[in-house]
Amino acid sequence: MPARAIRHSLAAAAPLLCAIHCVATPLLVAVMPAFAMGHTAEVVMLAASVVLVGWATWSGTLVHRHAGPALVAGLGLSLWGGQLFGALPAVGGELGIALAALLTAAGLMWNARLRHSAAEIGCSCTSCGHPTPE
């Protein structure tokens, strides 16, 4: 398999994995007090999310040329960061974090749909019949 096809396959899988993570996050938030995750651990998780979401939306924007998904995902990350660092009031605590996770997931899923529909680039999806990039 050519390197470009591998990159496109990984790029197609990243939003799906991220969407699964973001859907699971509200459920995890409900049980996290039992694990007493500290502020430092959450800052690390936010930083990792910013890097991964930034990469996914940036690479998607290069393909589909729409800034909307990046703005929605960025709004979700900003809401999470704002609550984490006290810049925004904690809207219901876990409810605000769940809203942030859902906004981020929505932006990533929108990004994946737009990227997938850019058939001239080739999505490397085995189920859609789009051409695989060489």
Side-chain angles (χ1 to χ4, degrees):
M1 183 182 283
R4 184 175 170 150
I6 292 171
R7 281 194 320 268
H8 281 274
S9 295
L10 291 174
L16 174 64
L17 293 174
C18 208
I20 290 169
H21 159 77
C22 291
V23 167
T25 298
L27 300 174
L28 291 174
V29 165
V31 298
M32 283 314 257
F35 297 107
M37 187 170 97
H39 183 76
T40 303
E42 192 166 1
V43 169
V44 169
M45 287 176 48
L46 175 62
S49 296
V50 167
V51 169
L52 291 172
V53 170
W55 173 78
T57 56
W58 173 75
S59 65
T61 302
L62 291 177
V63 174
H64 55 66
R65 306 278 189 230
H66 294 282
L71 294 174
V72 172
L75 177 64
L77 291 173
S78 298
L79 179 61
W80 182 15
Q83 289 187 348
L84 183 62
F85 294 111
L88 295 174
V91 182
E94 288 85 12
L95 180 63
I97 299 296
L99 177 63
L102 291 173
L103 278 171
T104 305
L108 288 169
M109 290 189 298
W110 184 16
N111 183 61
R113 277 182 132 331
L114 289 175
R115 186 179 185 119
H116 183 81
S117 66
E120 68 276 0
I121 301 300
C123 64
S124 298
C125 178
T126 58
S127 64
C128 69
H130 290 163
T132 302
E134 302 279 332

